[in-house]
Amino acid sequence: MKEVLITSGTSFEGYEIVDYGTYKFTQTILNSNFLKDLGTSIADIATDRRDVYQEKIDEILNETIKNFKEMVGESNYNAVVGFTTGVEVYTNNVTAVVASGTLVSITPVYKSEFEKSNFIRKELYVRNYYDLLVPRASKVVLVSEGKGTKVSVWFNNYNNDDILALKAELQFTNIYGDNITLPDVDFTFDKTNLNLLKSDFVECKLPDRYIKLISSAKVYIKKYVKSSGVYEIDADSIGIEMSESKFRALKVKKGIDAVANYKSDGLVWTCNCGHVNEGGSEECTICGRKQDDMKNSITFNYEPMVEEMKTKEYVIEIKDVLMKYIKDIDASLRMQLLEIMESGINYEKTRGSMKDSVIEKVENLFLGL
């Protein structure tokens, strides 16, 4: 059933009335024996019985309102103004609970983008991490309603520790390559012992309009507090060198904390969380991911082919490189690779060089992104 809005007033905030319908009412007749029990006044009834009668009346009132909404839902209207409820006494001790109002059609009031522009929200994946079993900053959320900026950081909490607070330095880079740093920001958490901790929003000295210019974020953790004490991180963070599109694809495919693609040389293997584990380890000692779950079923070593592709200028030349290797490539990928090449060749006719885009798509295909 469609949603029906109801008000005792004459209008709805954020909506305009585009059509007025008729005045309607519904009623629920009360059992006559029920009314006889009431006597002259509810106030004269013992307290325990009065509560029972009140509950009964409330139940009937809610049922009447529900019936009224269903009636409106079956009409061509989607709202009611001047809505009222009450008890009507008819002859022969017949009493009814009545709901009434005027049916109207409403539509949301158009709000221009200019009017909406005072609210800004930006989410950024964090571009650095610590290769330690500590809270991992994964995402920064910035919001503003035109009256100052607030920031929240999401942390992966691999041990489900009771993290109470955390002090960090935030570094933002804008689209011009300029940096701005927020030192010693204290974050607290409404809920702890969760695998993903979302900090409370904190006011920060960041200009409202600067949010739109920010292109990346890094979080340097100074200290964090658990019920067992205060802990400092005595290690350098590791920066993430990966294109934005590939980085986002990795997050979507492998999890919000993912910072690297799985790889193994038999002696050691790199987990999606970035930690390098011994070859015999079945699961990562940092995040707990299982190696078997990350292994790619693709057997072809694509890296030499991609390196050769990077020496070419145009997609038609990149396709020639692909054709040299295609007989060794897993059959399940051949058609997709050829489609990438044909699409790149066609776009290159009108948009100029598509080399970087095509090579990135080839890499993502082999990486399972």
Side-chain angles (χ1 to χ4, degrees):
M1 187 179 72
K2 65 185 178 186
E3 181 183 10
V4 175
L5 299 184
I6 289 179
T7 180
S8 59
T10 59
S11 62
F12 297 88
E13 184 176 356
Y15 292 84
E16 64 176 335
I17 297 175
V18 294
D19 188 25
Y20 282 85
T22 58
Y23 176 84
K24 291 283 188 179
F25 75 94
T26 59
Q27 61 182 2
T28 302
I29 304 297
L30 298 180
N31 185 296
S32 58
N33 292 330
F34 170 75
L35 292 171
K36 289 178 181 179
D37 288 342
L38 284 177
T40 57
S41 170
I42 288 180
D44 296 330
I45 303 173
T47 301
D48 57 341
R49 293 184 64 202
R50 185 164 67 246
D51 290 342
V52 172
Y53 289 130
Q54 186 63 54
E55 289 177 6
K56 184 65 177 176
I57 290 175
D58 289 343
E59 178 182 336
I60 295 172
L61 179 60
N62 290 333
E63 183 65 24
T64 304
I65 295 173
K66 178 184 175 183
N67 292 339
F68 189 87
K69 281 189 171 183
E70 290 177 350
M71 177 192 68
V72 178
E74 294 172 357
S75 71
N76 294 325
Y77 300 92
N78 61 353
V80 179
V81 295
F83 182 73
T84 61
T85 59
V87 177
E88 295 289 339
V89 180
Y90 302 116
T91 58
N92 300 323
N93 289 326
V94 175
T95 303
V97 174
V98 179
S100 62
T102 301
L103 278 57
V104 295
S105 291
I106 60 174
T107 186
V109 175
Y110 172 75
K111 194 172 185 180
S112 69
E113 289 303 316
F114 178 78
E115 291 173 298
K116 296 177 184 177
S117 64
N118 65 327
F119 179 78
I120 307 170
R121 179 185 177 96
K122 175 164 280 191
E123 297 186 4
L124 300 157
Y125 289 122
V126 177
R127 281 282 185 166
N128 67 315
Y129 68 99
Y130 294 91
D131 190 17
L132 299 168
L133 193 54
V134 298
R136 170 168 297 189
S138 301
K139 180 184 283 189
V140 174
V141 182
L142 293 162
V143 297
S144 172
E145 293 181 339
K147 299 178 181 179
T149 302
K150 294 183 179 181
V151 60
S152 170
V153 179
W154 296 8
F155 297 89
N156 282 86
N157 181 21
Y158 294 126
N159 266 354
N160 282 23
D161 289 327
D162 57 333
I163 309 294
L164 305 177
L166 187 148
K167 185 185 292 291
E169 175 182 293
L170 275 60
Q171 184 183 94
F172 298 103
T173 303
N174 65 20
I175 57 178
Y176 301 111
D178 303 323
N179 294 327
I180 185 170
T181 301
L182 302 178
D184 298 332
V185 182
D186 291 305
F187 295 102
T188 56
F189 305 92
D190 181 49
K191 296 180 180 179
T192 63
N193 300 102
L194 299 177
N195 184 257
L196 181 62
L197 298 175
K198 299 180 181 181
S199 80
D200 301 326
F201 278 95
V202 181
E203 292 186 2
C204 64
K205 296 180 180 179
L206 196 65
D208 299 341
R209 296 303 174 187
Y210 190 84
I211 296 178
K212 291 185 176 181
L213 301 177
I214 294 175
S215 58
S216 67
K218 292 183 177 180
V219 178
Y220 299 94
I221 300 174
K222 304 300 182 182
K223 302 177 181 179
Y224 62 96
V225 182
K226 301 195 298 183
S227 57
S228 56
V230 179
Y231 299 83
E232 295 187 23
I233 296 181
D234 185 21
D236 294 330
S237 72
I238 301 171
I240 301 167
E241 301 297 331
M242 189 181 296
S243 70
E244 183 63 24
S245 59
K246 188 176 293 186
F247 192 42
R248 286 183 173 276
L250 177 67
K251 297 285 188 181
V252 171
K253 189 78 174 181
K254 304 299 182 181
I256 193 174
D257 64 318
V259 295
N261 292 298
Y262 166 82
K263 60 182 179 181
S264 172
D265 62 4
L267 298 176
V268 296
W269 57 275
T270 302
C271 178
N272 289 140
C273 75
H275 184 66
V276 178
N277 299 270
E278 294 183 1
S281 302
E282 294 183 358
E283 63 180 44
C284 179
T285 57
I286 295 292
C287 69
R289 285 182 173 88
K290 296 185 182 299
Q291 183 178 188
D292 286 344
D293 294 339
M294 289 181 287
K295 285 181 178 178
N296 198 320
S297 59
I298 298 171
T299 58
F300 174 70
N301 181 13
Y302 68 92
E303 292 181 349
M305 180 186 73
V306 169
E307 289 303 314
E308 187 174 346
M309 287 178 172
K310 290 179 180 178
T311 65
K312 306 303 179 181
E313 188 67 27
Y314 301 104
V315 178
I316 189 68
E317 297 173 309
I318 294 174
K319 182 181 178 182
D320 290 339
V321 175
L322 171 65
M323 299 312 294
K324 284 173 51 180
Y325 293 88
I326 200 162
K327 62 180 175 53
D328 299 320
I329 297 174
D330 302 71
S332 61
L333 299 181
R334 293 174 189 171
M335 186 59 68
Q336 295 179 67
L337 287 166
L338 289 172
E339 288 175 353
I340 290 173
M341 296 300 154
E342 291 305 318
S343 176
I345 291 171
N346 289 331
Y347 276 119
E348 206 165 54
K349 294 176 182 177
T350 56
R351 300 185 182 182
S353 177
M354 296 294 293
K355 170 185 173 179
D356 293 339
S357 175
V358 165
I359 291 177
E360 184 173 15
K361 288 180 180 179
V362 170
E363 287 183 297
N364 287 346
L365 184 61
F366 282 104
L367 292 171
L369 301 179

